[in-house]
Every structure is written in structure tokens, then in C-alpha cells.
Amino acid sequence: MKTKFNFKTTILALLLLVAGSTATFAQCDKTATLTSSTTNYVDDKGVVQRSKEENVIITITPTDLTIVPGDDDHKMTGKITSKTCDWKVPFKEGKSVIKSTVSGNGGDEKHATVTIEGKDGKVTLTFETEETVGKKIQVVADRFE
């Protein structure tokens, strides 16, 4: 049996694919803010070592990363050096990996990797640095916009 090539169907499918890809990509170039009320400190196996109740605000712009934990004394900021972004459903299903050199108020620089992962509508951010191997900081977003 011969399959009939349908030009209109092919064009429509390509337009939908491009529109969906553009919407997902555009979301990655916008400023996003994640807020959380609990910070978990985990080991390299993902086991929570301790938790701390605190309000955390993470802001990601197309060029910068800012992390403000419970108090401004530990605020960290840095330029984004690389970013990958693959969200099927914006801020709900997908993943971003951001690399940045961040520094705190004391001026100490850290080479950070921030992984933001959305699964089943739950968004988790994991922060790790080259300088603290085996230790990660993880927050679950109360709000991600």
C-alpha cells in the first residue's frame, strides 16, 4: 500500500513544532524567580543531612544568577557562563542546567552548577560547587515564575 504524501499536513506539523519550540525556548530567555521556604543540605548520594526553614529567593536572568537565602548576609551573585534549557511544560516539566561563577558578600568566588528540574509539577533546584565536592544544597520551589 502506498502512503500518500500530504503537503498541507506536513506544513501544519512543522509549524506546530516550530511554534512549540519557540515558546519553550523563549521561556528560557526570560527572567525567572524561584522562592522556597526550606533549604536541604544533601550529600553526594542525595541523602538529606540537615534542613533549615528559611525564605530563599533565586533570580535567574538571561545573564545573571542571584541567590538570597534567609538573610542578605549570605547573598550570592554571579554571571551565567553557560546554560542549557529543555522544558516540555514551562516551569513544570523539564530541566535547566546553569553554570556560573558566584561570589558572596565576602568576595569568595565559587564555580557553581545549578540544576533546576521540574517533574510532576514539582520544581527542584540543586546547587553545587566545584569547591565543595560531595555537598549540595537543594530547595523545592513554593513558587516558580
Side-chain angles (χ1 to χ4, degrees):
M1 179 176 196
K2 247 185 185 182
T3 304
K4 186 176 179 183
F5 179 74
N6 187 328
F7 188 70
K8 286 182 182 179
T9 304
T10 303
I11 294 297
L12 180 59
L14 285 172
L15 286 173
L16 289 173
L17 178 66
V18 169
S21 297
T22 302
T24 300
F25 182 74
Q27 165 238 307
C28 297
D29 285 338
K30 293 182 179 176
T31 296
T33 302
L34 180 147
T35 58
S36 176
S37 56
T38 304
T39 302
N40 293 314
Y41 297 86
V42 298
D43 63 18
D44 57 349
K45 293 177 180 71
V47 177
V48 176
Q49 301 298 305
R50 69 183 176 102
S51 292
K52 182 177 181 181
E53 297 294 321
E54 65 180 346
N55 291 321
V56 180
I57 300 170
I58 296 116
T59 304
I60 303 159
T61 72
T63 58
D64 297 296
L65 172 68
T66 303
I67 302 169
V68 182
D71 55 22
D72 285 337
D73 292 341
H74 294 96
K75 177 180 178 178
M76 294 191 302
T77 59
K79 292 286 180 193
I80 293 173
T81 56
S82 72
K83 177 172 35 172
T84 62
C85 186
D86 183 22
W87 289 86
K88 309 291 185 252
V89 179
F91 309 124
K92 293 185 186 207
E93 295 290 331
K95 183 176 181 177
S96 289
V97 178
I98 298 166
K99 294 196 179 274
S100 176
T101 301
V102 296
S103 60
N105 292 345
D108 56 326
E109 285 191 348
K110 296 190 185 315
H111 299 88
T113 300
V114 177
T115 304
I116 304 166
E117 199 161 13
K119 189 172 183 177
D120 300 326
K122 176 180 162 183
V123 177
T124 304
L125 180 140
T126 303
F127 176 88
E128 54 190 311
T129 67
E130 292 175 10
E131 293 79 9
T132 54
V133 177
K135 296 180 182 179
K136 300 176 185 179
I137 298 172
Q138 200 169 65
V139 297
V140 175
D142 297 331
R143 191 171 67 223
F144 189 53
E145 50 191 37

PDB file of all heavy atoms in Angstrom, residues 27 86-95 117-123:
ATOM      1  N   GLN A  27      10.808  31.008  26.838  1.00  0.00           N
ATOM      2  CA  GLN A  27      10.683  30.951  28.283  1.00  0.00           C
ATOM      3  C   GLN A  27      12.057  30.892  28.941  1.00  0.00           C
ATOM      4  O   GLN A  27      12.279  31.451  29.999  1.00  0.00           O
ATOM      5  CB  GLN A  27       9.830  29.740  28.668  1.00  0.00           C
ATOM      6  CG  GLN A  27       9.919  29.359  30.117  1.00  0.00           C
ATOM      7  CD  GLN A  27      10.389  27.930  30.276  1.00  0.00           C
ATOM      8  OE1 GLN A  27       9.834  27.017  29.707  1.00  0.00           O
ATOM      9  NE2 GLN A  27      11.407  27.738  31.052  1.00  0.00           N
ATOM     10  N   ASP A  86      15.656  22.840  28.655  1.00  0.00           N
ATOM     11  CA  ASP A  86      14.778  21.913  27.940  1.00  0.00           C
ATOM     12  C   ASP A  86      13.520  21.693  28.773  1.00  0.00           C
ATOM     13  O   ASP A  86      13.461  20.786  29.601  1.00  0.00           O
ATOM     14  CB  ASP A  86      15.507  20.588  27.689  1.00  0.00           C
ATOM     15  CG  ASP A  86      14.664  19.613  26.881  1.00  0.00           C
ATOM     16  OD1 ASP A  86      13.737  20.053  26.182  1.00  0.00           O
ATOM     17  OD2 ASP A  86      14.937  18.404  26.968  1.00  0.00           O
ATOM     18  N   TRP A  87      12.531  22.554  28.574  1.00  0.00           N
ATOM     19  CA  TRP A  87      11.274  22.469  29.299  1.00  0.00           C
ATOM     20  C   TRP A  87      10.161  22.064  28.342  1.00  0.00           C
ATOM     21  O   TRP A  87       9.880  22.760  27.376  1.00  0.00           O
ATOM     22  CB  TRP A  87      10.946  23.809  29.953  1.00  0.00           C
ATOM     23  CG  TRP A  87      11.866  24.097  31.100  1.00  0.00           C
ATOM     24  CD1 TRP A  87      13.087  24.684  31.035  1.00  0.00           C
ATOM     25  CD2 TRP A  87      11.645  23.771  32.469  1.00  0.00           C
ATOM     26  NE1 TRP A  87      13.641  24.750  32.283  1.00  0.00           N
ATOM     27  CE2 TRP A  87      12.784  24.197  33.187  1.00  0.00           C
ATOM     28  CE3 TRP A  87      10.601  23.151  33.154  1.00  0.00           C
ATOM     29  CZ2 TRP A  87      12.903  24.031  34.559  1.00  0.00           C
ATOM     30  CZ3 TRP A  87      10.727  22.997  34.523  1.00  0.00           C
ATOM     31  CH2 TRP A  87      11.863  23.430  35.218  1.00  0.00           C
ATOM     32  N   LYS A  88       9.521  20.943  28.624  1.00  0.00           N
ATOM     33  CA  LYS A  88       8.370  20.485  27.828  1.00  0.00           C
ATOM     34  C   LYS A  88       7.142  21.317  28.182  1.00  0.00           C
ATOM     35  O   LYS A  88       6.378  21.710  27.321  1.00  0.00           O
ATOM     36  CB  LYS A  88       8.071  19.006  28.092  1.00  0.00           C
ATOM     37  CG  LYS A  88       9.279  18.091  27.967  1.00  0.00           C
ATOM     38  CD  LYS A  88       9.765  17.960  26.543  1.00  0.00           C
ATOM     39  CE  LYS A  88      10.875  16.957  26.447  1.00  0.00           C
ATOM     40  NZ  LYS A  88      12.190  17.453  26.215  1.00  0.00           N
ATOM     41  N   VAL A  89       6.947  21.554  29.496  1.00  0.00           N
ATOM     42  CA  VAL A  89       5.882  22.414  30.003  1.00  0.00           C
ATOM     43  C   VAL A  89       6.577  23.457  30.876  1.00  0.00           C
ATOM     44  O   VAL A  89       7.197  23.094  31.882  1.00  0.00           O
ATOM     45  CB  VAL A  89       4.844  21.623  30.844  1.00  0.00           C
ATOM     46  CG1 VAL A  89       3.774  22.561  31.380  1.00  0.00           C
ATOM     47  CG2 VAL A  89       4.228  20.495  30.034  1.00  0.00           C
ATOM     48  N   PRO A  90       6.544  24.743  30.479  1.00  0.00           N
ATOM     49  CA  PRO A  90       7.274  25.771  31.213  1.00  0.00           C
ATOM     50  C   PRO A  90       7.026  25.738  32.723  1.00  0.00           C
ATOM     51  O   PRO A  90       5.887  25.718  33.173  1.00  0.00           O
ATOM     52  CB  PRO A  90       6.755  27.077  30.600  1.00  0.00           C
ATOM     53  CG  PRO A  90       6.344  26.686  29.221  1.00  0.00           C
ATOM     54  CD  PRO A  90       5.802  25.288  29.347  1.00  0.00           C
ATOM     55  N   PHE A  91       8.131  25.662  33.463  1.00  0.00           N
ATOM     56  CA  PHE A  91       8.157  25.701  34.927  1.00  0.00           C
ATOM     57  C   PHE A  91       7.461  24.510  35.598  1.00  0.00           C
ATOM     58  O   PHE A  91       7.215  24.531  36.786  1.00  0.00           O
ATOM     59  CB  PHE A  91       7.557  26.999  35.451  1.00  0.00           C
ATOM     60  CG  PHE A  91       8.139  28.220  34.815  1.00  0.00           C
ATOM     61  CD1 PHE A  91       7.319  29.140  34.196  1.00  0.00           C
ATOM     62  CD2 PHE A  91       9.496  28.459  34.810  1.00  0.00           C
ATOM     63  CE1 PHE A  91       7.834  30.286  33.598  1.00  0.00           C
ATOM     64  CE2 PHE A  91      10.033  29.592  34.215  1.00  0.00           C
ATOM     65  CZ  PHE A  91       9.193  30.505  33.610  1.00  0.00           C
ATOM     66  N   LYS A  92       7.153  23.441  34.823  1.00  0.00           N
ATOM     67  CA  LYS A  92       6.501  22.269  35.412  1.00  0.00           C
ATOM     68  C   LYS A  92       7.185  20.972  35.031  1.00  0.00           C
ATOM     69  O   LYS A  92       7.382  20.109  35.874  1.00  0.00           O
ATOM     70  CB  LYS A  92       5.030  22.215  35.008  1.00  0.00           C
ATOM     71  CG  LYS A  92       4.232  23.347  35.606  1.00  0.00           C
ATOM     72  CD  LYS A  92       2.770  23.230  35.323  1.00  0.00           C
ATOM     73  CE  LYS A  92       2.137  24.481  35.853  1.00  0.00           C
ATOM     74  NZ  LYS A  92       0.865  24.488  36.243  1.00  0.00           N
ATOM     75  N   GLU A  93       7.507  20.794  33.763  1.00  0.00           N
ATOM     76  CA  GLU A  93       8.141  19.562  33.280  1.00  0.00           C
ATOM     77  C   GLU A  93       9.344  19.921  32.424  1.00  0.00           C
ATOM     78  O   GLU A  93       9.185  20.490  31.345  1.00  0.00           O
ATOM     79  CB  GLU A  93       7.150  18.730  32.449  1.00  0.00           C
ATOM     80  CG  GLU A  93       5.972  18.185  33.213  1.00  0.00           C
ATOM     81  CD  GLU A  93       6.337  17.088  34.198  1.00  0.00           C
ATOM     82  OE1 GLU A  93       7.317  16.356  33.965  1.00  0.00           O
ATOM     83  OE2 GLU A  93       5.628  16.975  35.219  1.00  0.00           O
ATOM     84  N   GLY A  94      10.535  19.627  32.915  1.00  0.00           N
ATOM     85  CA  GLY A  94      11.728  19.908  32.132  1.00  0.00           C
ATOM     86  C   GLY A  94      12.933  20.113  33.013  1.00  0.00           C
ATOM     87  O   GLY A  94      12.933  19.780  34.200  1.00  0.00           O
ATOM     88  N   LYS A  95      13.968  20.696  32.402  1.00  0.00           N
ATOM     89  CA  LYS A  95      15.229  20.833  33.132  1.00  0.00           C
ATOM     90  C   LYS A  95      16.066  21.962  32.544  1.00  0.00           C
ATOM     91  O   LYS A  95      16.095  22.159  31.334  1.00  0.00           O
ATOM     92  CB  LYS A  95      16.006  19.518  33.041  1.00  0.00           C
ATOM     93  CG  LYS A  95      17.297  19.471  33.792  1.00  0.00           C
ATOM     94  CD  LYS A  95      17.894  18.077  33.678  1.00  0.00           C
ATOM     95  CE  LYS A  95      19.185  17.952  34.428  1.00  0.00           C
ATOM     96  NZ  LYS A  95      19.734  16.595  34.380  1.00  0.00           N
ATOM     97  N   GLU A 117      14.994  21.342  37.999  1.00  0.00           N
ATOM     98  CA  GLU A 117      14.292  20.225  37.373  1.00  0.00           C
ATOM     99  C   GLU A 117      12.826  20.233  37.773  1.00  0.00           C
ATOM    100  O   GLU A 117      12.496  20.357  38.951  1.00  0.00           O
ATOM    101  CB  GLU A 117      14.954  18.924  37.803  1.00  0.00           C
ATOM    102  CG  GLU A 117      14.647  17.762  36.917  1.00  0.00           C
ATOM    103  CD  GLU A 117      15.650  16.633  37.100  1.00  0.00           C
ATOM    104  OE1 GLU A 117      16.430  16.632  38.051  1.00  0.00           O
ATOM    105  OE2 GLU A 117      15.620  15.739  36.249  1.00  0.00           O
ATOM    106  N   GLY A 118      11.964  20.121  36.783  1.00  0.00           N
ATOM    107  CA  GLY A 118      10.536  20.034  37.021  1.00  0.00           C
ATOM    108  C   GLY A 118      10.044  18.643  36.679  1.00  0.00           C
ATOM    109  O   GLY A 118      10.331  18.117  35.600  1.00  0.00           O
ATOM    110  N   LYS A 119       9.340  18.029  37.621  1.00  0.00           N
ATOM    111  CA  LYS A 119       8.799  16.696  37.392  1.00  0.00           C
ATOM    112  C   LYS A 119       7.478  16.593  38.138  1.00  0.00           C
ATOM    113  O   LYS A 119       7.408  16.924  39.320  1.00  0.00           O
ATOM    114  CB  LYS A 119       9.784  15.636  37.888  1.00  0.00           C
ATOM    115  CG  LYS A 119       9.393  14.233  37.499  1.00  0.00           C
ATOM    116  CD  LYS A 119      10.501  13.256  37.838  1.00  0.00           C
ATOM    117  CE  LYS A 119      10.079  11.881  37.356  1.00  0.00           C
ATOM    118  NZ  LYS A 119      11.108  10.892  37.578  1.00  0.00           N
ATOM    119  N   ASP A 120       6.449  16.152  37.438  1.00  0.00           N
ATOM    120  CA  ASP A 120       5.114  16.022  38.019  1.00  0.00           C
ATOM    121  C   ASP A 120       4.640  17.343  38.640  1.00  0.00           C
ATOM    122  O   ASP A 120       3.978  17.352  39.673  1.00  0.00           O
ATOM    123  CB  ASP A 120       5.074  14.904  39.065  1.00  0.00           C
ATOM    124  CG  ASP A 120       5.428  13.551  38.481  1.00  0.00           C
ATOM    125  OD1 ASP A 120       5.077  13.303  37.306  1.00  0.00           O
ATOM    126  OD2 ASP A 120       6.072  12.739  39.186  1.00  0.00           O
ATOM    127  N   GLY A 121       5.026  18.471  38.039  1.00  0.00           N
ATOM    128  CA  GLY A 121       4.600  19.775  38.520  1.00  0.00           C
ATOM    129  C   GLY A 121       5.395  20.313  39.692  1.00  0.00           C
ATOM    130  O   GLY A 121       5.154  21.414  40.156  1.00  0.00           O
ATOM    131  N   LYS A 122       6.389  19.569  40.185  1.00  0.00           N
ATOM    132  CA  LYS A 122       7.223  19.975  41.326  1.00  0.00           C
ATOM    133  C   LYS A 122       8.578  20.430  40.779  1.00  0.00           C
ATOM    134  O   LYS A 122       9.220  19.703  40.032  1.00  0.00           O
ATOM    135  CB  LYS A 122       7.390  18.787  42.275  1.00  0.00           C
ATOM    136  CG  LYS A 122       8.304  19.027  43.434  1.00  0.00           C
ATOM    137  CD  LYS A 122       8.367  17.751  44.278  1.00  0.00           C
ATOM    138  CE  LYS A 122       9.548  17.738  45.175  1.00  0.00           C
ATOM    139  NZ  LYS A 122       9.665  16.490  45.929  1.00  0.00           N
ATOM    140  N   VAL A 123       9.010  21.640  41.151  1.00  0.00           N
ATOM    141  CA  VAL A 123      10.268  22.190  40.660  1.00  0.00           C
ATOM    142  C   VAL A 123      11.301  22.165  41.785  1.00  0.00           C
ATOM    143  O   VAL A 123      11.068  22.694  42.869  1.00  0.00           O
ATOM    144  CB  VAL A 123      10.085  23.631  40.142  1.00  0.00           C
ATOM    145  CG1 VAL A 123      11.414  24.218  39.691  1.00  0.00           C
ATOM    146  CG2 VAL A 123       9.079  23.645  38.994  1.00  0.00           C
TER     147      VAL A 123
END
